[in-house]
Amino acid sequence: MNAEGLESFRDFVDSRSSALLKTAVLLSGGDRHAGEDLLQNALVKAAGRWQRIDEPEAYVRRILYRQQVSRWRLKWHRREVSVAEPPEADVGADAASAAELRLVMRAALSRLTARQRTVLVLRYFEDLPEADVARLLGCSVGTVRSTTHRSLARLRVLAPELAALSLADVERQPSRDYSPVEVRP
């Protein structure tokens, strides 16, 4: 890669890595370390082809999605158990409800299968239409619809407290981790 390409790549990483990391963490079931690994691998792959990429963010996101799909298609993969993060110092009531929603959502997403989690992240966090999700995952639109339906039903069973939390109250407070994912159809 020449100096101009290297500078362009660095600028892209500086400006878009936080947004890409949010998506990677969600795709990894809330595991920040796995999300960082996923993003790092995607950026390494993109760096090798940087001069030929027309839309860098779309290209890197596609790599993220496909790597996550590859992870859950592997016959053998190790499972790591995440531990809860220490509580933050003295948060207000609104910030506490936002943190509670993030923790509940992260825990619920981590209990879904990787495929279910990926479909929900693409549909609701990335706000992609069903056809785009189907194209990215290499399946039919009907499969995306049925997986979305089953995933939302499972989320309702795994985390009934999500229905009690008001998303409007949470959206008023800025989030430091990532925006909440709406799980209501």
Side-chain angles (χ1 to χ4, degrees):
M1 183 181 316
N2 61 23
E4 181 182 317
L6 183 60
E7 185 65 29
S8 170
F9 181 72
R10 284 184 181 156
D11 290 342
F12 172 77
V13 172
D14 286 343
S15 65
R16 300 305 305 154
S17 63
S18 63
L20 292 169
L21 179 60
K22 290 175 186 177
T23 300
V25 168
L26 286 171
L27 287 171
S28 300
D31 183 350
R32 184 171 178 87
H33 297 291
E36 289 171 349
D37 290 344
L38 187 66
L39 179 58
Q40 181 178 0
N41 291 336
L43 290 174
V44 166
K45 287 183 178 185
R49 298 180 171 265
W50 190 252
Q51 303 290 31
R52 296 173 289 211
I53 298 173
D54 294 329
E55 297 179 40
E57 185 161 353
Y59 188 84
V60 172
R61 286 183 184 275
R62 191 173 309 118
I63 293 172
L64 284 173
Y65 307 144
R66 289 184 176 168
Q67 280 186 314
Q68 184 60 26
V69 168
S70 294
R71 282 185 180 183
W72 48 262
R73 284 186 177 160
L74 289 175
K75 293 182 183 191
W76 177 88
H77 61 283
R78 61 189 170 134
R79 296 225 182 236
E80 295 180 10
V81 178
S82 298
V83 296
E85 295 179 21
E88 295 180 27
D90 194 28
V91 292
D94 288 337
S97 64
E100 179 185 359
L101 177 61
R102 285 193 307 273
L103 290 173
V104 169
M105 181 58 73
R106 183 178 291 162
L109 283 173
S110 70
R111 289 182 276 172
L112 294 175
T113 66
R115 182 182 191 103
Q116 290 173 328
R117 185 173 48 250
T118 302
V119 169
L120 289 182
V121 168
L122 292 175
R123 284 286 292 130
Y124 296 104
F125 180 75
E126 292 291 322
D127 199 27
L128 293 177
E130 291 168 338
D132 289 351
V133 174
R135 184 179 44 77
L136 283 169
L137 298 180
C139 62
S140 69
V141 173
T143 300
V144 170
R145 287 181 184 155
S146 64
T147 303
T148 302
H149 176 75
R150 288 186 188 112
S151 303
L152 291 174
R154 186 158 182 223
L155 264 184
R156 287 185 195 101
V157 170
L158 293 173
E161 60 273 20
L162 286 176
L165 294 173
S166 170
L167 191 60
D169 292 339
V170 173
E171 287 178 342
R172 279 187 251 149
Q173 293 295 322
S175 170
R176 292 188 337 168
D177 289 339
Y178 52 83
S179 301
V181 179
E182 184 176 346
V183 295
R184 296 177 193 121

